[in-house]
Amino acid sequence: MENYLSTLNTQQLEAVTTTEGFVRVIAGAGSGKTRALSHRFAYLVNELGIMPGSILCVTFTNKSANEMRQRIHNLTGDNDTGFISTFHGFCNTILLEESYAISYPKNFIVLDNADIDEMLRIIYEERNLTLRHMTFSKARDMIEIMKLAERPDYYLDLIHMSVQQLKEKYLRAHDPRDIIFYGYLYQEKKCFGLDYNDLIILTLHIFDEHEDIKQKWQEKLEYIMIDEFQDIDDLQYKLMKCLCGFHKNLFIVGDPDQTIYTWRGARIRYLIDFDNDFPNVRTIMMPKNYRSTPEILHAANSLIANNEQRIKKDLVPVKEHGPMVRCHEARTEAEEAQWVCEQIKALSKQGIEYRDIAILYRAHYITRSIEDVFIKEEMPYTIYSGIQFYARKEIKDTLSYLRMIVFKDDLSFIRTVNTPKRNIGERRMKFLKNYANENNITLYDTLKLHLEDELFRTTQAKQYVELIEQFAQEYEGRQVSEVLTAMLDQSGYEKMLRTEGSQERLDNLAELKQSILDYEISCGEEADLEHYLSHIALFTNADLEMKHNSVKLMTIHTAKGLEFDHVFLIGMNEGMFPTKKVSTLEAMEEERRLAFVAMTRAKKSLYLTEANGRNFDGSPKYPSRFILDIDPRYIEFTPPMSETLIDDARQYIEIHSRFLKLKNSMPEFKEGDLVEHPVFGKGTIIQTDPLNMIHTIHFDKLKTERKISYRAKLKKIGENSLSEIMN
């Protein structure tokens, strides 16, 4: 143990032994920052004699906290490892000791998303709300926004109002937002539950109101260390500033180039501008990378250099040379997947285990083509933090509708008859099942027999049967893609997803549509609905069992903090990565940081892939700007990209970039704003859609509302300048 410092490089040793004051460490990917943190803790304990209970070490996940705790135990030999936890975990520790200050019991409950959804379910039932008012996911987001921004003093109601008073406030509410928000506060108070935001907010409130408690904790924590500082949000930053206010020993580690959680509230500026908030900051750079080959790092450095919001640095390789970063351009997504499969087979023949290979992607829907090929080739794979494509609810629902047209089987019937809601609930389903069992007929035939019964008159059972019968009579001779599109429309299923705001599910449906178009092209005349259902059974019945030695499939966000010998980064096309949802320059830089994180997960080899062809909407596919951002000296193209394709892609990217720059300079419009259009005159914004960049506006002189693109020249009433979006 006495030689534990000898394993550190010069920069790591400097970080470990610089113990006093404010210290900022800029640690690149694979630079050994976890080693530096754990050794610094050990140095404080072993060499300076600091008590472990006087040290706070903050990580951003419980998994990281557990790993850090084990490392420190191995270095100190002490079971007391101080406070090693997440911000929320540490606040929970404080509240367990100080909850009396807010009249909360020590046995309060920390709520997770499942708990919150159960509370929302109660509220929706009590106040007759539906998912059309707001999905549970949107309700959770809305509650968080209201707590953090719109009603930041909400906690005073939570603390000072009785359960009965909160209940009355909830029952008096009329607006769905207020109903949900105050219903949630009432449910929280009733069970003495606190969510993650509450833990930090109430801790800060106690510190603000009770100087003695704040001072107790400030004096207790002689040294504070924070990992992944680029991910810190406003509340966490405020808490950190408060806790270090006495001893003024604060050590932070982070990498601006790995800030990929701004959508969760992370503020990159806190790391970049740390020296503006704290005096005499010592900044230590840790650029040495022990993870990746020089070839991988040259490509990653070249990519991230295109960002402006960063602290300039290059990762410095330590490992020996490896193969060039390879970029494959396929004609179709199916060929892209097949190429990936062939490369993995080649790696396997070299003795490389499947478990050492990872396929990373921007969004889950991208896995469809990969899964199709892997299932055919019997390639073992495991999806992490996601569900196999054909096991996703919206895909199973949609395929069940297609099966109903042809087979009218019970399983498909159960999935579709009340999706969307047709008032055919448990009681009516129980009747159908009992009758079908007694008479040995299908559930669908049972429903047809009882359409005129009193039991089904208040339902939409008749419309459902008419829908199935219509398609059953008309599907022969029609293209599968045509049948699918019509069914999704006429059944109301796609409208239901749009109403719920389920963008990920809509993306998956779009991918299913694309897969059917690919199927039709490959099968030619055989491409009818019955043949397709037989074809797709191969995938829907695939073995979904987790395999120990299998290729890992995961999103880039899931891969953050992990490393793999061999990495395939797939779906590198404009609109896929970067995602089509990007609407600001800041968001585009975050996408580029996400690509940088993905590339730096690779230790020995890195493969980038993209596919030509057309998107489902008919628009051409272009290679991602992140491929073109990399100096071509650092990439081996297989085959070489045509100059025409590169020129077309750059032209598209230039137009899109110009659009983002102009959009960045325009004033923000919100619902209710009075605006003036150069042709339509004055009007009121009814709805904004940032994703599709559309305003819905009711103009005074027009009878109907108009959907107006962000490209239009609009002026806020009372403002002098027009917002111009592209000429």
Side-chain angles (χ1 to χ4, degrees):
M1 198 159 33
E2 63 272 8
N3 296 320
Y4 68 97
L5 295 180
S6 64
T7 62
L8 304 175
N9 65 34
T10 304
Q11 293 84 11
Q12 291 170 338
L13 186 62
E14 183 184 2
V16 167
T17 56
T18 306
T19 60
E20 306 308 301
F22 301 104
V23 183
R24 171 177 62 181
V25 177
I26 306 299
S31 62
K33 63 181 179 64
T34 306
R35 171 184 287 269
L37 276 163
S38 57
H39 279 65
R40 189 175 193 268
F41 194 113
Y43 181 79
L44 290 170
V45 173
N46 294 343
E47 310 302 326
L48 303 191
I50 304 299
M51 298 300 294
S54 299
I55 305 172
L56 169 64
C57 184
V58 179
T59 67
F60 271 78
T61 66
N62 290 317
K63 181 174 179 288
S64 297
N66 291 332
E67 289 176 357
M68 185 72 69
R69 199 174 291 112
Q70 186 59 50
R71 286 187 182 222
I72 290 169
H73 170 73
N74 293 339
L75 290 168
T76 63
D78 197 335
N79 287 325
D80 183 0
T81 51
F83 298 102
I84 303 174
S85 66
T86 63
F87 275 109
H88 302 107
F90 182 65
C91 287
N92 186 51
T93 299
I94 293 176
L95 290 175
L96 285 171
E97 192 166 325
E98 315 293 354
S99 61
Y100 69 90
I102 54 172
S103 301
Y104 250 62
K106 290 186 181 294
N107 60 341
F108 61 84
I109 301 168
V110 179
L111 304 171
D112 58 19
N113 280 348
D115 298 321
I116 297 170
D117 284 353
E118 188 56 40
M119 289 178 171
L120 291 171
R121 193 169 288 107
I122 294 169
I123 296 164
Y124 278 43
E125 288 176 1
E126 287 180 348
R127 298 300 306 272
N128 295 319
L129 298 179
T130 70
L131 295 178
R132 291 181 180 274
H133 291 98
M134 198 177 300
T135 64
F136 284 1
S137 175
K138 284 192 172 181
R140 290 197 304 270
D141 291 344
M142 183 270 294
I143 290 167
E144 183 170 13
I145 291 168
M146 292 183 78
K147 283 186 173 184
L148 297 179
E150 296 181 19
R151 300 178 190 177
D153 60 348
Y154 79 92
Y155 62 90
L156 297 175
D157 285 352
L158 193 62
I159 294 171
H160 299 305
M161 295 182 77
S162 68
V163 173
Q164 186 58 36
Q165 288 172 318
L166 274 173
K167 183 179 181 181
E168 289 171 1
K169 196 165 186 176
Y170 155 56
L171 294 175
R172 286 197 304 269
H174 296 291
D175 181 78
R177 283 167 54 88
D178 288 340
I179 292 171
I180 292 168
F181 185 67
Y182 287 108
Y184 178 67
L185 293 187
Y186 162 58
Q187 291 293 333
E188 276 195 296
K189 184 80 173 191
K190 193 163 71 168
C191 70
F192 288 109
L194 299 174
D195 59 33
Y196 282 1
N197 287 317
D198 297 330
L199 294 174
I200 299 182
I201 288 168
L202 292 180
T203 298
L204 287 168
H205 171 69
I206 291 173
F207 286 170
D208 286 341
E209 295 293 314
H210 301 272
E211 184 67 26
D212 57 328
I213 296 177
K214 178 176 75 173
Q215 189 171 341
K216 179 181 83 174
W217 285 95
Q218 286 179 330
E219 292 181 8
K220 186 180 184 69
L221 302 173
E222 298 177 20
Y223 295 89
I224 298 172
M225 301 188 292
I226 301 176
D227 193 12
E228 304 287 5
F229 197 79
Q230 74 277 353
D231 294 333
I232 201 167
D233 64 26
D234 296 336
L235 282 176
Q236 293 162 349
Y237 190 73
K238 186 177 178 182
L239 178 66
M240 174 213 69
K241 285 187 73 175
C242 176
L243 289 172
C244 71
F246 185 79
H247 294 288
K248 297 184 177 9
N249 290 323
L250 176 61
F251 177 90
I252 66 167
V253 183
D255 182 5
D257 292 337
Q258 296 189 73
T259 304
I260 60 174
Y261 294 114
T262 59
W263 50 276
R264 253 178 14 194
R267 298 285 182 263
I268 189 174
R269 302 307 312 181
Y270 287 143
L271 178 58
I272 294 176
D273 297 334
F274 185 75
D275 52 348
N276 294 339
D277 272 6
F278 295 91
N280 303 316
V281 171
R282 183 166 179 177
T283 296
I284 300 169
M285 307 295 289
M286 285 175 42
K288 286 186 178 179
N289 178 286
Y290 294 88
R291 176 184 298 154
S292 307
T293 64
E295 287 73 15
I296 294 169
L297 294 183
H298 291 329
N301 286 333
S302 176
L303 168 71
I304 201 62
N306 291 273
N307 271 12
E308 294 182 5
Q309 285 194 62
R310 64 189 299 260
I311 295 175
K312 186 175 173 58
K313 70 176 190 313
D314 278 342
L315 296 175
V316 179
V318 174
K319 293 180 69 173
E320 294 182 355
H321 286 277
M324 288 279 289
V325 174
R326 296 178 70 185
C327 180
H328 181 70
E329 176 197 354
R331 291 186 302 173
T332 65
E333 288 182 14
E335 289 190 11
E336 177 186 13
Q338 191 64 50
W339 187 85
V340 170
C341 187
E342 294 304 320
Q343 300 309 304
I344 293 173
K345 285 181 179 178
L347 290 171
S348 179
K349 287 179 181 177
Q350 297 171 29
I352 293 165
E353 299 279 0
Y354 290 132
R355 67 173 67 91
D356 296 325
I357 302 169
I359 298 176
L360 308 183
Y361 39 83
R362 180 62 178 86
H364 282 299
Y365 74 87
I366 296 171
T367 66
R368 192 271 309 169
S369 57
I370 292 287
E371 289 188 72
D372 283 2
V373 170
F374 277 23
I375 290 168
K376 286 179 182 175
E377 300 286 341
E378 298 184 345
M379 177 75 69
Y381 71 95
T382 301
I383 291 184
Y384 289 77
S385 297
I387 303 169
Q388 279 82 354
F389 184 81
Y390 292 104
R392 293 166 196 167
K393 182 181 184 303
E394 58 278 7
I395 303 302
K396 293 181 75 169
D397 287 347
T398 303
L399 293 177
S400 292
Y401 265 111
L402 296 182
R403 286 184 61 86
M404 276 301 299
I405 297 172
V406 179
F407 304 115
K408 302 180 180 64
D409 60 290
D410 285 355
L411 289 177
S412 300
F413 177 86
I414 291 168
R415 288 200 73 92
T416 59
V417 69
N418 205 42
T419 308
K421 298 291 185 188
R422 298 186 177 94
N423 201 25
I424 304 173
E426 290 183 12
R427 181 169 66 93
R428 293 183 173 96
M429 282 300 298
K430 186 177 180 180
F431 168 81
L432 292 174
K433 288 176 180 178
N434 288 339
Y435 189 96
N437 286 334
E438 291 170 4
N439 295 274
N440 201 28
I441 60 175
T442 66
L443 292 171
Y444 180 73
D445 285 339
T446 302
L447 181 63
K448 286 172 66 176
L449 289 173
H450 294 88
L451 285 178
E452 301 302 325
D453 289 10
E454 186 67 31
L455 185 63
F456 292 97
R457 282 184 184 174
T458 58
T459 72
Q460 297 177 43
K462 190 174 182 181
Q463 292 91 324
Y464 173 76
V465 169
E466 288 174 350
L467 176 80
I468 300 301
E469 292 297 312
Q470 174 194 335
F471 275 88
Q473 293 170 15
E474 298 176 355
Y475 79 86
E476 291 185 14
R478 296 175 71 184
Q479 289 186 316
V480 181
S481 55
E482 182 188 342
V483 174
L484 175 72
T485 301
M487 175 58 81
L488 287 171
D489 177 45
Q490 294 180 40
S491 67
Y493 190 84
E494 195 159 13
K495 182 182 179 182
M496 176 191 75
L497 294 187
R498 295 192 186 281
T499 302
E500 293 177 358
S502 305
Q503 188 56 50
E504 185 175 352
R505 293 187 173 182
L506 289 168
D507 287 344
N508 287 335
L509 279 190
E511 184 59 28
L512 179 65
K513 293 174 183 177
Q514 184 63 55
S515 76
I516 291 176
L517 290 176
D518 294 343
Y519 157 80
E520 289 172 341
I521 292 169
S522 64
C523 290
E525 293 180 356
E526 293 183 6
D528 59 31
L529 183 55
E530 292 181 23
H531 184 274
Y532 173 72
L533 291 173
S534 174
H535 161 81
I536 208 68
L538 169 68
F539 308 110
T540 57
N541 294 328
D543 181 12
L544 304 181
E545 181 184 354
M546 295 276 283
K547 302 174 181 68
H548 179 61
N549 187 23
S550 59
V551 179
K552 298 177 174 68
L553 274 65
M554 65 185 74
T555 64
I556 302 166
H557 283 99
T558 302
K560 176 74 162 62
L562 304 177
E563 59 183 29
F564 315 93
D565 284 352
H566 310 277
V567 170
F568 291 81
L569 181 53
I570 66 171
M572 294 288 284
N573 288 93
E574 288 291 306
M576 297 171 73
F577 195 19
T579 172
K580 61 186 176 184
K581 299 174 185 177
V582 170
S583 59
T584 65
L585 292 172
E586 290 78 9
M588 185 58 75
E589 290 215 344
E590 177 147 351
E591 285 290 290
R592 189 173 285 108
R593 291 194 294 268
L594 193 59
F596 174 79
V597 167
M599 292 171 68
T600 54
R601 297 312 92 195
K603 296 164 68 176
K604 296 180 179 179
S605 68
L606 173 65
Y607 305 79
L608 313 176
T609 70
E610 57 94 9
N612 291 332
R614 293 193 174 273
N615 298 303
F616 185 74
D617 62 4
S619 60
K621 281 186 172 182
Y622 295 112
S624 169
R625 68 191 68 197
F626 302 148
I627 293 175
L628 303 181
D629 281 345
I630 300 170
D631 189 322
R633 292 178 301 168
Y634 302 135
I635 302 181
E636 179 187 346
F637 290 92
T638 58
M641 272 190 194
S642 75
E643 289 299 323
T644 302
L645 177 64
I646 293 174
D647 290 344
D648 289 348
R650 289 194 185 282
Q651 185 178 6
Y652 168 82
I653 292 164
E654 174 59 30
I655 293 171
H656 185 255
S657 298
R658 191 161 70 245
F659 178 68
L660 292 182
K661 287 176 184 175
L662 290 168
K663 184 178 179 299
N664 251 38
S665 64
M666 71 176 286
E668 289 290 328
F669 293 109
K670 60 183 185 297
E671 294 175 11
D673 280 351
L674 300 178
V675 297
E676 188 170 2
H677 188 279
V679 175
F680 299 139
K682 295 179 181 179
T684 305
I685 293 182
I686 306 300
Q687 189 177 10
T688 61
D689 181 357
L691 180 61
N692 296 305
M693 300 184 183
I694 294 172
H695 299 302
T696 303
I697 303 176
H698 176 76
F699 292 102
D700 296 351
K701 66 181 185 182
L702 300 180
K703 292 182 179 180
T704 58
E705 298 170 353
R706 295 288 191 273
K707 293 187 183 298
I708 303 297
S709 162
Y710 281 18
R711 298 169 183 265
K713 299 176 179 180
L714 290 179
K715 179 175 115 177
K716 276 189 183 179
I717 301 294
E719 295 191 357
N720 296 323
S721 60
L722 293 177
S723 165
E724 297 187 15
I725 307 289
M726 299 191 60
N727 294 318

